[in-house]
Amino acid sequence: MSRRSRRKVQSGRVALRAGLPPAADVFVGPDRDDPVDVHLLEYDAESLFEQKSVRPAELRAFADDPRITWIDVDGVHDPERVKEVCNAFKVHPLVVEDILSLTTRPKSEEYDGYLFLSLKIVTLEEAIDFPIFKTEQASIVLAPKAVLTFLEGSNAVFDVVRERLRTNKGRGRRLEADYLVYALLDAVVDGYLVALDQVADHVDQIEDGVVGGSPDPDVVLLVHHLRQELLAFRKNVVPVRDGVSAMNRAPSAIVRKQTLLYLRDLHDHILLAVDTIDGLRDRLSGALDLHVALNNNRLADVSRVLTLVATIFLPLTFIAGVYGMNFDYMPEIHWEYGYHFSLALMTGTVVSLLYCFRRKGWV
Amino acid sequence: MSRRSRRKVQSGRVALRAGLPPAADVFVGPDRDDPVDVHLLEYDAESLFEQKSVRPAELRAFADDPRITWIDVDGVHDPERVKEVCNAFKVHPLVVEDILSLTTRPKSEEYDGYLFLSLKIVTLEEAIDFPIFKTEQASIVLAPKAVLTFLEGSNAVFDVVRERLRTNKGRGRRLEADYLVYALLDAVVDGYLVALDQVADHVDQIEDGVVGGSPDPDVVLLVHHLRQELLAFRKNVVPVRDGVSAMNRAPSAIVRKQTLLYLRDLHDHILLAVDTIDGLRDRLSGALDLHVALNNNRLADVSRVLTLVATIFLPLTFIAGVYGMNFDYMPEIHWEYGYHFSLALMTGTVVSLLYCFRRKGWV
Amino acid sequence: MSRRSRRKVQSGRVALRAGLPPAADVFVGPDRDDPVDVHLLEYDAESLFEQKSVRPAELRAFADDPRITWIDVDGVHDPERVKEVCNAFKVHPLVVEDILSLTTRPKSEEYDGYLFLSLKIVTLEEAIDFPIFKTEQASIVLAPKAVLTFLEGSNAVFDVVRERLRTNKGRGRRLEADYLVYALLDAVVDGYLVALDQVADHVDQIEDGVVGGSPDPDVVLLVHHLRQELLAFRKNVVPVRDGVSAMNRAPSAIVRKQTLLYLRDLHDHILLAVDTIDGLRDRLSGALDLHVALNNNRLADVSRVLTLVATIFLPLTFIAGVYGMNFDYMPEIHWEYGYHFSLALMTGTVVSLLYCFRRKGWV
Amino acid sequence: MSRRSRRKVQSGRVALRAGLPPAADVFVGPDRDDPVDVHLLEYDAESLFEQKSVRPAELRAFADDPRITWIDVDGVHDPERVKEVCNAFKVHPLVVEDILSLTTRPKSEEYDGYLFLSLKIVTLEEAIDFPIFKTEQASIVLAPKAVLTFLEGSNAVFDVVRERLRTNKGRGRRLEADYLVYALLDAVVDGYLVALDQVADHVDQIEDGVVGGSPDPDVVLLVHHLRQELLAFRKNVVPVRDGVSAMNRAPSAIVRKQTLLYLRDLHDHILLAVDTIDGLRDRLSGALDLHVALNNNRLADVSRVLTLVATIFLPLTFIAGVYGMNFDYMPEIHWEYGYHFSLALMTGTVVSLLYCFRRKGWV
Amino acid sequence: MSRRSRRKVQSGRVALRAGLPPAADVFVGPDRDDPVDVHLLEYDAESLFEQKSVRPAELRAFADDPRITWIDVDGVHDPERVKEVCNAFKVHPLVVEDILSLTTRPKSEEYDGYLFLSLKIVTLEEAIDFPIFKTEQASIVLAPKAVLTFLEGSNAVFDVVRERLRTNKGRGRRLEADYLVYALLDAVVDGYLVALDQVADHVDQIEDGVVGGSPDPDVVLLVHHLRQELLAFRKNVVPVRDGVSAMNRAPSAIVRKQTLLYLRDLHDHILLAVDTIDGLRDRLSGALDLHVALNNNRLADVSRVLTLVATIFLPLTFIAGVYGMNFDYMPEIHWEYGYHFSLALMTGTVVSLLYCFRRKGWV
């Protein structure tokens, strides 16, 4: 679905939502038909238990388990299901509202006993005309021993983390819930960098085309489009940067000190993403400026040629016109060398004009 | 009434006001004829009492009632009435001056025992030529057990809150006066988002027109107008954002801790509004830049065609002119194949010019 | 006197001043001939005493009086007189230097026992060509029981306050010296708003002219001029805003707590002035951009017409030129329908060109 | 010496310097031949002792004297001499390095027992083509009882202060070393204002030329040059402003409280200089924008005339061309009023074209 | 290798890296074949011990030595080797990951017992077409008695420091490890200044070309390229500035107080580099603006000439065309002075047009 059409669906909902009481449990986003799947993963350093399509009623039991519980809800278009999961972990209704609304801005908020994070998963889609960023919402609730994740769409971005837990590679399973959240965030930010890398390839092509003098005919449209996309992207990344930075400065009770080193590392990666976005935007602006400058140069060349040709041939044509007049008494007409005189006159005109042009530096 | 004419009325009043002592009880805004209505709503979790057209004398009694009292004054063009209501609740004369002046900037100020909020209600009106934002002032006084609201125009924006209190949906009636103010502010901010959504539709149309190459002929005027409107809108929203943010950081004695979660949520909504404004402005700028760039491209195409045609036909016309001269002695004229020679000369000229153009990449 | 010529006078003085010891009592500004008048006003809640042309020697007595003393010095071009007044109240030589120099930046400084404020009074003058801001310096010294004011020019701006004291309207006479200073500042800021209101009328006219397509021929010059004037204005208002804001945050011993509410109100008015300046500058920029965009559109139309006409008539003229050649052997010339053939050829050319143009969307 | 050539000399040295150990005593600047002069001035309120060409060996004695000692070193191209002076007062090698390098950025640094200030003396030189700022480095070391000054070039800027000390005008000689430094800084900043005043005259001329429609042909080059010069100037003034501001906020042990009032005054003067620079740059930008806008207007006029002339005469010439064709059978040719018919046709064409133009608003 | 191709290699790796666990020991950068060399230098004030190609196993011994140990690893493309060195000094895996990844942003981070610095070494390479900055990563680990340096490429930039340690010039060998790090950083920053100096020469050439009216034909491309390069450079320098500034403000346990003076000096040098970058970018923008302005002036001249020529000759050609018509009855044709009449008519036309042009100021 294109960004435009998605925005329209959402905006329709924004209008619909206005008038509802705060913290109303209503899904604000495009409709979907597939059922919402709840996927559970419970582990400690020694063992791992996994279950698909968990029923909410079963969740209560896991909430009080001393092992780390990760509940991954795929799809937030079923308010009832989301609400049941949240209730099992005593999540505040305002958080449920944020999870259900796809217009929620990326943010991190601390509540009594848990931390709520909302952010966007971004991937690049090669649409028919121009590449567009596909933006899907991810909500994360971090409790001391449990992590809830709510994804708008597919959960492919978390597969890496899941796989690492299963194979127990790295130190993942020995660490606490806050480290799991760090790993999930890291996967999302890595996805940002991959998407930006793909954009960089487009920017390379644009720059090569412009510098080489043969840009894509739609280069203006394309640059405009990519700049808008990157701007929208930036607005999704900057709050994440600020949120992680705030966690670093004023760590909460839920994020332990050992995890801070990793958060600092994550912060660096987000800074790299922001830098890359700014750099790409700068390069696009630069390429467009260059394109305009080179085009103007070309247009100036064209104008100069027109002026030269007109300035040379208009006087010549005039001379020819004069001797094409039909007056009865025109002495030059009857000179023996009149024709040659006229040709000499024309040649003289051309030579003096060319001399003028050369002195002005136009030829 | 259009923004322009309203501004003029107000500015006339600004000049009138200069010279008055501070805290003078004078209405500064356009004249209105309809009477000012005072509407009362008193409630606690169990019961709700409602009365229209309350006389100010009756208000004193409600001021000391332990139940939550909401007094809604519709219209501020009757200074006496406003003053009476304010006096019943011991509101400072400077606040009364702010309520009466429609040029008051949005702000939040804390006084001894109550909090004063001034903000603007914004709706989009589809005027004859271009859509304009209709901006009406709302003043809110929050005392521990009472809320006073003063509206410049219609109170439709608060209907949702009133209805929720009547039907006792949500947790509204169980909560205190500060929550009521939050609900009112939320209704106002929801109105911002609805208005921005309507603007977004216009921006969509503009973008589609520009990208598709067939923009509205007045697209430049329209973009200019919308940008100015959004800028004025932004100036009304940003102080609200800063006020709510300040309340969050340094909560006053009147706003209780339980309400802070809701204020944070409100803050998020305002940020969304500001982001949306900035985004729309960026998109409008982008659309205009694109429009200019595409227009320049088209103009360059036109200039190139002119140059090609002139550069080809001026020499040809000159050649024809030469052989149209009437000299007695012109050898070529009498050649048997002179005509064909001249045509060949012209063809040769065209071919070499086209060759030049192709090499320069103009054809 | 125009801004330009004033600046020149002052700048000459700046060069003159360089080399003097600090705190030298030298007047730095344009020369004036009229005598400096010292006007005294002493009051408490019950009574008011007024005296014009006070001799400095008399001032000492008033300095120690428990009633509020307001000494208004009209004109600062007589260094001796200013110095005498200042000495009577033990004002620091650096302050005297600032009062005497008309290039002093607006500022507020706290000294032992008094507060020094320097600011500019701004009025709009309709000059022959363009409106200009007339900027006059006002210096205010606030001691616990006395207020000294030094005005570069006329004291009309303070008439309102004086009149209010005389008639004892409002609460003015019951309040202390700091409230008097607030009232004076309020009068100055009201003057800003009036001047800006007059500029707004000019901006309205400019906008209407540009949007309606028939701007003033000097619109570019006028916008440029107004933008520069507003920029200079802004530089005089912003330090006042910052000074009042600093007084609000860190109130001095001289400004009492009761006056702070009024200072906050004053701060709001200054913010309104700054906002108005920024808004007017934005509108002027917008109007200029619009003017340029519309002009470019018109120019593009002109170029397009030129291209169409040239592209149609150059080939036609060429065809006519060909059949105007005088070769002996030109078969078409002697055809019975040669003339009609040539006309048909021309018509065909026009039709195909128009077809091309329509396909390119130029017609 | 022009800015360009100086920069090149310096930059060559920068490359040379790279690789030296930190705090190396090497002069980094253009070569000079004249000897470095050390000038001594020792004073208290009663007496003053002055000596030219002091030998460094003599300095040790003065360093411990209770009277105020001012040692003025003219020229820093002799590293040995500078080093000897600094050693006599136990100045840190890093400071010596900064004194010797002419690329040192303006700054103020506190060391144990003394304060180090580096700044630039700026004067305007009327070069052959454009005025340029001549920038010379001044380094000041402030010890409790001694002031060392190191000047890159002539010490004329300090003459005022010297003269005031000799004649004992003002309070100078009664005050301490920190006041002497203030007086020196004030002299430098006064020099800034004088130089800016001279630039303002150039800007006046440029503005008058542009507004009057007859700018200097090199106005674009001149504006560009002045803007760059002012930008470079600004970079030399801003660190001075920040340094003095920092001293004001966190006064060191060496700057006594009594001197702070004077520093605040100095700060004001620097702010005035920065404001003036910004104002001049704004005015230059404005003048250039205006120049471009007016030029574009003129160019548009030219294009419009071209279009009108071409659009009128191309059809006329075509008609004339048609009736200049040599077909045997052209009925109009033989009409009795054919000639008049053709003239009427041409007149009709002109009239209808002019009517079109008028309707489009081009005539 | 050009910047473009390097970026591509790296970006490929970024995509590859996504999905790895945090702190994975994988080299992220272009492949290299040469072995990684570990170079050791151990010293105190009296003696110095040097060893090339140290085996990691030997390092453990040096780690606990009371003398200062400097281990310089040339090349980071061998993860195992880098890991071994880091393990010998108990460096955190996240630091190892940063050392191995060439996309690490410049930063300084404090860990338990050591400080980690990452920055870029920049040199200017004169490529075939345009000069480019070659950027190589340097990582520095500062422990109380040891310094580890990891260089992406050649270690030439550190030769100066090494040589100074060997010859024991300056105070280097008497100082601690933190001073050694300062000396290394100083060498890197000196390299920045040298590279900027070389760019300044290019900017000088560009400016001279533009002002002189005969710029390099590729001046637009060159300016665009240099601006992008300087922007990328700036992004590598600014974090270094911020890092050193942070160390100055909040010195760690590892950087001793005595070294702070040197860090302040280093900070100054970095500020100089940033200022130089900004200055060069400003000058490039200025040069480009000037180039565009001058080009526009030239283009306007060309257009004016075209208009003059066309406006003069089109009417003349028309007159000639009229008298070239073949009507049987054209009275002027048979006048005795018809020809002279027509020539007079043409001369009159030219004279009146020239008069018009002069009045409009076009000639």
Side-chain angles (χ1 to χ4, degrees), chain B residues 92-344:
Chain B
H92 195 282
L94 280 171
V95 171
V96 178
E97 182 195 349
D98 279 340
I99 292 172
L100 288 172
S101 164
L102 298 186
T103 60
T104 301
R105 297 177 72 251
K107 61 180 172 183
S108 77
E109 289 178 343
E110 187 159 5
Y111 287 83
D112 271 355
Y114 57 94
L115 200 71
F116 171 60
L117 303 167
S118 177
L119 69 167
K120 307 287 180 189
I121 295 167
V122 180
T123 45
L124 193 77
E125 277 192 349
E126 295 294 335
I128 304 170
D129 40 359
F130 293 147
I132 56 171
F133 285 121
K134 188 178 153 198
T135 304
E136 290 182 322
Q137 181 156 309
S139 306
I140 301 179
V141 172
L142 165 61
K145 288 286 173 190
V147 173
L148 314 184
T149 54
F150 302 85
L151 291 177
E152 177 188 348
S154 126
N155 63 2
V157 73
F158 289 164
D159 282 351
V160 213
V161 181
R162 224 179 323 260
E163 199 51 41
R164 240 186 284 145
L165 286 178
R166 284 182 196 130
T167 58
N168 199 5
K169 272 213 302 200
R171 275 148 308 169
R173 253 159 62 186
R174 257 166 304 151
L175 294 163
E176 293 288 322
D178 54 358
Y179 181 85
L180 173 59
V181 165
Y182 154 71
L184 296 173
L185 292 176
D186 199 47
V188 171
V189 173
D190 274 354
Y192 291 171
L193 291 173
V194 172
L196 288 173
D197 221 58
Q198 293 167 331
V199 174
D201 289 341
H202 286 277
V203 175
D204 283 349
Q205 278 178 30
I206 291 171
E207 277 185 347
D208 289 347
V210 167
V211 169
S214 57
D216 186 325
D218 282 340
V219 70
V220 174
L221 284 174
L222 178 55
V223 167
H224 172 250
H225 170 78
L226 284 179
R227 279 179 57 84
Q228 299 276 11
E229 287 284 297
L230 285 169
L231 192 63
F233 193 172
R234 197 180 196 285
K235 281 188 179 153
N236 284 327
V237 179
V238 165
V240 179
R241 180 193 65 188
D242 298 343
V244 171
S245 163
M247 274 196 256
N248 261 325
R249 278 199 310 273
S252 69
I254 298 151
V255 179
R256 291 157 319 126
K257 229 180 166 182
Q258 300 94 297
T259 318
L260 283 186
L261 275 187
Y262 292 94
L263 276 184
R264 193 165 70 179
D265 186 64
L266 178 67
H267 190 238
D268 266 10
H269 282 115
I270 304 175
L271 284 186
L272 182 59
V274 174
D275 276 9
T276 308
I277 293 174
D278 290 344
L280 288 174
R281 279 177 56 84
D282 283 340
R283 284 173 63 198
L284 284 170
S285 301
L288 196 57
D289 289 352
L290 191 57
H291 176 64
V292 168
L294 294 176
N295 257 8
N296 280 347
N297 276 0
R298 258 170 243 141
L299 190 56
D301 279 359
V302 169
S303 290
R304 197 171 297 125
V305 165
L306 171 62
T307 302
L308 293 184
V309 167
T311 309
I312 287 175
F313 282 99
L314 281 178
L316 296 190
T317 304
F318 164 65
I319 295 174
V322 164
Y323 294 114
M325 294 194 297
N326 296 320
F327 289 102
D328 290 356
Y329 308 99
M330 284 180 69
E332 298 96 328
I333 295 290
H334 308 296
W335 292 355
E336 189 170 356
Y337 294 101
Y339 179 45
H340 305 93
F341 164 73
S342 75
L343 292 184

Side-chain angles (χ1 to χ4, degrees), chain C residues 4 7 11 107 323 325 334, chain D residues 197 204 207-208 268 328:
Chain C
R4 174 75 39 91
R7 206 197 55 75
S11 68
K107 61 179 173 183
Y323 294 114
M325 294 194 296
H334 308 295
Chain D
D197 220 59
D204 282 350
E207 277 185 346
D208 289 348
D268 266 10
D328 291 355

Side-chain angles (χ1 to χ4, degrees), chain E residues 32-334:
Chain E
R32 280 176 56 184
D33 287 333
D34 51 321
V36 167
D37 185 47
V38 178
H39 181 274
L40 180 138
L41 223 148
E42 201 189 31
Y43 65 88
D44 55 16
E46 284 79 36
S47 65
L48 176 133
F49 168 74
E50 198 166 358
Q51 183 182 347
K52 291 200 172 178
S53 309
V54 189
R55 273 168 304 140
E58 300 172 276
L59 289 172
R60 198 83 287 273
F62 294 103
D64 302 326
D65 199 301
R67 301 164 75 201
I68 311 292
T69 311
W70 172 16
I71 294 164
D72 183 22
V73 182
D74 291 355
V76 292
H77 47 282
D78 181 350
E80 276 316 304
R81 183 61 55 100
V82 169
K83 214 176 154 181
E84 285 164 356
V85 173
C86 287
N87 285 347
F89 289 83
K90 303 201 186 75
V91 172
H92 194 282
L94 279 171
V95 171
V96 178
E97 182 195 349
D98 279 341
I99 292 172
L100 288 173
S101 164
L102 298 185
T103 60
T104 300
R105 297 178 71 250
K107 62 178 172 182
S108 76
E109 289 178 344
E110 188 159 4
Y111 287 83
D112 271 356
Y114 59 95
L115 201 71
F116 171 60
L117 303 166
S118 176
L119 68 166
K120 306 287 180 189
I121 295 168
V122 179
T123 46
L124 193 76
E125 277 193 350
E126 296 293 336
I128 304 171
D129 39 0
F130 293 147
I132 55 170
F133 285 120
K134 188 178 152 200
T135 303
E136 289 182 323
Q137 180 155 309
S139 306
I140 301 178
V141 172
L142 165 61
K145 288 287 172 189
V147 173
L148 313 184
T149 53
F150 302 85
L151 292 176
E152 177 188 348
S154 124
N155 63 2
V157 71
F158 289 164
D159 282 351
V160 213
V161 180
R162 224 181 321 260
E163 198 52 39
R164 239 186 284 144
L165 284 179
R166 283 184 195 129
T167 57
N168 200 5
K169 275 214 299 200
R171 275 149 307 172
R173 252 160 61 186
R174 254 166 306 150
L175 294 163
E176 293 289 322
D178 54 356
Y179 182 84
L180 173 59
V181 165
Y182 155 70
L184 295 174
L185 292 176
D186 199 47
V188 170
V189 172
D190 274 354
Y192 291 169
L193 291 173
V194 172
L196 288 173
D197 220 59
Q198 293 167 331
V199 173
D201 289 340
H202 286 279
V203 175
D204 283 349
Q205 279 178 29
I206 291 171
E207 277 186 346
D208 290 347
V210 167
V211 170
S214 58
D216 186 325
D218 283 340
V219 69
V220 174
L221 285 174
L222 178 55
V223 167
H224 172 251
H225 170 77
L226 285 178
R227 279 179 57 83
Q228 298 276 11
E229 288 284 298
L230 285 169
L231 192 63
F233 193 173
R234 195 180 197 287
K235 281 188 180 154
N236 284 327
V237 180
V238 165
V240 179
R241 180 191 66 187
D242 297 343
V244 171
S245 163
M247 274 197 258
N248 262 325
R249 280 197 310 274
S252 69
I254 297 152
V255 180
R256 291 158 316 127
K257 231 182 164 182
Q258 298 96 298
T259 317
L260 283 187
L261 275 188
Y262 292 93
L263 275 185
R264 193 165 69 177
D265 186 65
L266 178 67
H267 190 238
D268 266 10
H269 283 114
I270 304 175
L271 284 186
L272 183 58
V274 174
D275 275 11
T276 308
I277 292 174
D278 291 344
L280 288 174
R281 278 176 58 84
D282 283 340
R283 285 174 62 198
L284 283 171
S285 301
L288 195 58
D289 289 352
L290 191 57
H291 176 65
V292 167
L294 294 177
N295 256 9
N296 280 347
N297 276 1
R298 256 170 244 142
L299 189 56
D301 280 358
V302 168
S303 290
R304 197 172 296 124
V305 166
L306 171 63
T307 302
L308 293 184
V309 168
T311 310
I312 287 174
F313 282 99
L314 282 177
L316 296 190
T317 305
F318 165 65
I319 295 173
V322 164
Y323 294 113
M325 294 195 296
N326 296 320
F327 287 103
D328 290 356
Y329 309 99
M330 285 180 68
E332 298 95 329
I333 296 289
H334 308 295

Side-chain angles (χ1 to χ4, degrees), chain C residues 4 7-8 11-12 14-15 17-23 92-94 97-98 103 105 107 109-111 220-221 224 228 231 235 295 299 301-302 305-306 309-310 313-314 316-317 319-320 323-326 332-336 338-339 342-343 346, chain D residues 160 164 171 179 182 186 190 193-194 197 200-201 204 207-208 211 261-262 264-265 268-269 271-272 275 278-279 282-283 286-287 290 293-294 297 300 303-304 306-307 310-311 314-315 317-318 321-332 362:
Chain C
R4 174 75 39 91
R7 206 197 55 75
K8 277 178 185 162
S11 68
V14 167
R17 215 211 155 280
L20 290 177
H92 194 281
L94 280 171
E97 182 195 349
D98 279 340
T103 59
R105 296 177 71 249
K107 61 179 173 183
E109 287 178 345
E110 187 158 4
Y111 287 84
V220 174
L221 284 174
H224 172 249
Q228 298 276 11
L231 192 63
K235 282 189 179 151
N295 257 8
L299 190 55
D301 279 358
V302 169
V305 166
L306 171 62
V309 168
F313 282 100
L314 281 178
L316 295 191
T317 305
I319 295 173
Y323 294 114
M325 294 194 296
N326 296 321
E332 297 96 329
I333 296 290
H334 308 295
W335 291 355
E336 188 169 356
Y339 179 46
S342 75
L343 292 183
M346 292 171 186
Chain D
V160 213
R164 239 185 286 143
R171 276 149 306 173
Y179 181 83
Y182 155 71
D186 199 48
D190 273 354
L193 292 173
V194 172
D197 220 59
D201 289 341
D204 282 350
E207 277 185 346
D208 289 348
V211 169
L261 275 188
Y262 292 93
R264 193 165 71 178
D265 186 65
D268 266 10
H269 283 114
L271 284 186
L272 183 59
D275 274 10
D278 291 344
D282 282 340
R283 285 175 61 199
L290 191 57
L294 294 177
N297 277 0
S303 289
R304 196 172 296 124
L306 171 62
T307 302
T311 309
L314 282 177
T317 305
F318 165 65
V322 165
Y323 294 114
M325 294 194 296
N326 296 319
F327 287 102
D328 291 355
Y329 308 100
M330 285 180 68
E332 298 95 329
W362 295 355

